[in-house]
Short mmCIF file of all heavy atoms in Angstrom, two decimals:
data_model
loop_
_atom_site.label_atom_id
_atom_site.label_comp_id
_atom_site.label_asym_id
_atom_site.label_seq_id
_atom_site.Cartn_x
_atom_site.Cartn_y
_atom_site.Cartn_z
N LYS C 401 67.76 45.67 -31.43
CA LYS C 401 68.35 44.54 -32.15
C LYS C 401 67.29 43.52 -32.54
O LYS C 401 67.32 42.96 -33.64
CB LYS C 401 69.42 43.87 -31.29
CG LYS C 401 70.71 44.66 -31.16
CD LYS C 401 71.74 43.88 -30.35
CE LYS C 401 73.08 44.61 -30.31
NZ LYS C 401 74.09 43.85 -29.52
N GLN C 402 66.35 43.28 -31.62
CA GLN C 402 65.30 42.31 -31.90
C GLN C 402 64.40 42.76 -33.05
O GLN C 402 64.06 41.97 -33.93
CB GLN C 402 64.45 42.10 -30.65
CG GLN C 402 63.39 41.02 -30.80
CD GLN C 402 63.98 39.64 -31.00
OE1 GLN C 402 64.38 38.99 -30.05
NE2 GLN C 402 64.07 39.20 -32.25
N TYR C 403 64.03 44.04 -33.05
CA TYR C 403 63.18 44.54 -34.13
C TYR C 403 63.88 44.36 -35.49
O TYR C 403 63.26 43.99 -36.48
CB TYR C 403 62.84 46.02 -33.94
CG TYR C 403 62.14 46.35 -32.64
CD1 TYR C 403 62.26 47.62 -32.07
CD2 TYR C 403 61.36 45.41 -31.97
CE1 TYR C 403 61.62 47.94 -30.88
CE2 TYR C 403 60.72 45.72 -30.77
CZ TYR C 403 60.86 46.98 -30.23
OH TYR C 403 60.24 47.30 -29.05
N ALA C 404 65.17 44.66 -35.50
CA ALA C 404 65.93 44.53 -36.75
C ALA C 404 66.04 43.06 -37.17
O ALA C 404 65.94 42.74 -38.36
CB ALA C 404 67.30 45.15 -36.59
N GLU C 405 66.27 42.17 -36.21
CA GLU C 405 66.38 40.75 -36.53
C GLU C 405 65.06 40.20 -37.06
O GLU C 405 65.05 39.36 -37.96
CB GLU C 405 66.82 39.96 -35.29
CG GLU C 405 68.27 40.20 -34.91
CD GLU C 405 68.65 39.54 -33.60
OE1 GLU C 405 67.79 38.80 -33.04
OE2 GLU C 405 69.77 39.75 -33.12
N TRP C 406 63.97 40.67 -36.50
CA TRP C 406 62.67 40.26 -37.04
C TRP C 406 62.43 40.86 -38.41
O TRP C 406 61.65 40.31 -39.20
CB TRP C 406 61.55 40.72 -36.10
CG TRP C 406 61.40 39.85 -34.87
CD1 TRP C 406 61.71 38.53 -34.74
CD2 TRP C 406 60.85 40.27 -33.60
NE1 TRP C 406 61.41 38.10 -33.47
CE2 TRP C 406 60.87 39.13 -32.74
CE3 TRP C 406 60.35 41.46 -33.10
CZ2 TRP C 406 60.41 39.17 -31.43
CZ3 TRP C 406 59.88 41.50 -31.79
CH2 TRP C 406 59.92 40.37 -30.97
N GLY C 407 63.06 42.01 -38.70
CA GLY C 407 62.94 42.61 -40.03
C GLY C 407 62.05 43.83 -40.10
O GLY C 407 61.69 44.27 -41.20
N PHE C 408 61.73 44.45 -38.97
CA PHE C 408 60.83 45.60 -39.00
C PHE C 408 61.48 46.83 -39.64
O PHE C 408 62.69 47.02 -39.57
CB PHE C 408 60.33 45.93 -37.59
CG PHE C 408 59.25 45.01 -37.13
CD1 PHE C 408 59.54 43.92 -36.30
CD2 PHE C 408 57.95 45.18 -37.57
CE1 PHE C 408 58.54 43.06 -35.90
CE2 PHE C 408 56.94 44.32 -37.18
CZ PHE C 408 57.22 43.25 -36.34
N ASP C 409 60.61 47.65 -40.24
CA ASP C 409 61.07 48.82 -41.00
C ASP C 409 60.60 50.14 -40.40
O ASP C 409 60.96 51.20 -40.90
CB ASP C 409 60.52 48.73 -42.44
CG ASP C 409 60.81 47.39 -43.07
OD1 ASP C 409 61.97 47.17 -43.47
OD2 ASP C 409 59.89 46.54 -43.15
N LEU C 410 59.78 50.08 -39.35
CA LEU C 410 59.26 51.30 -38.72
C LEU C 410 58.95 51.00 -37.26
O LEU C 410 58.50 49.90 -36.92
CB LEU C 410 57.99 51.76 -39.44
CG LEU C 410 57.26 53.00 -38.88
CD1 LEU C 410 56.63 53.80 -40.03
CD2 LEU C 410 56.17 52.63 -37.88
N LEU C 411 59.21 51.98 -36.40
CA LEU C 411 58.85 51.88 -34.99
C LEU C 411 57.99 53.08 -34.60
O LEU C 411 58.41 54.23 -34.79
CB LEU C 411 60.09 51.86 -34.10
CG LEU C 411 59.82 51.97 -32.59
CD1 LEU C 411 59.07 50.74 -32.08
CD2 LEU C 411 61.13 52.18 -31.81
N LYS C 412 56.81 52.82 -34.07
CA LYS C 412 56.01 53.85 -33.41
C LYS C 412 56.40 53.81 -31.93
O LYS C 412 56.20 52.79 -31.27
CB LYS C 412 54.51 53.59 -33.59
CG LYS C 412 53.64 54.61 -32.86
CD LYS C 412 52.15 54.27 -33.03
CE LYS C 412 51.29 55.17 -32.16
NZ LYS C 412 49.84 54.80 -32.25
N TYR C 413 56.94 54.90 -31.43
CA TYR C 413 57.50 54.94 -30.08
C TYR C 413 56.65 55.86 -29.22
O TYR C 413 56.66 57.08 -29.39
CB TYR C 413 58.95 55.43 -30.17
CG TYR C 413 59.87 54.93 -29.09
CD1 TYR C 413 59.74 53.66 -28.54
CD2 TYR C 413 60.91 55.74 -28.63
CE1 TYR C 413 60.61 53.20 -27.57
CE2 TYR C 413 61.79 55.29 -27.66
CZ TYR C 413 61.62 54.02 -27.12
OH TYR C 413 62.48 53.57 -26.15
N ASP C 414 55.89 55.28 -28.29
CA ASP C 414 54.77 55.94 -27.62
C ASP C 414 55.11 56.31 -26.17
O ASP C 414 55.54 55.47 -25.39
CB ASP C 414 53.57 54.99 -27.66
CG ASP C 414 52.25 55.69 -27.41
OD1 ASP C 414 52.25 56.77 -26.80
OD2 ASP C 414 51.22 55.14 -27.82
N ARG C 415 54.86 57.55 -25.81
CA ARG C 415 55.17 58.10 -24.49
C ARG C 415 54.63 57.26 -23.34
O ARG C 415 55.34 56.90 -22.40
CB ARG C 415 54.61 59.52 -24.40
CG ARG C 415 54.90 60.27 -23.12
CD ARG C 415 54.34 61.69 -23.28
NE ARG C 415 54.70 62.55 -22.17
CZ ARG C 415 53.92 62.81 -21.12
NH1 ARG C 415 52.73 62.24 -21.05
NH2 ARG C 415 54.33 63.63 -20.17
N CYS C 416 53.35 56.97 -23.34
CA CYS C 416 52.68 56.11 -22.37
C CYS C 416 53.19 56.28 -20.94
O CYS C 416 53.16 57.35 -20.38
CB CYS C 416 52.76 54.66 -22.82
SG CYS C 416 51.81 54.32 -24.30
N THR C 417 53.73 55.18 -20.36
CA THR C 417 54.15 55.19 -18.95
C THR C 417 55.47 55.90 -18.71
O THR C 417 55.97 55.92 -17.59
CB THR C 417 54.24 53.76 -18.41
OG1 THR C 417 55.21 53.03 -19.18
CG2 THR C 417 52.89 53.06 -18.48
N ALA C 418 56.04 56.50 -19.75
CA ALA C 418 57.26 57.29 -19.56
C ALA C 418 56.95 58.70 -19.07
O ALA C 418 57.86 59.49 -18.82
CB ALA C 418 58.04 57.38 -20.88
#
Side-chain angles (χ1 to χ4, degrees):
K401 286 183 175 180
Q402 184 66 80
Y403 302 153
E405 288 174 5
W406 283 333
F408 282 99
D409 309 284
L410 178 146
L411 172 66
K412 178 182 173 183
Y413 209 34
D414 198 337
R415 183 176 187 263
C416 292
T417 60

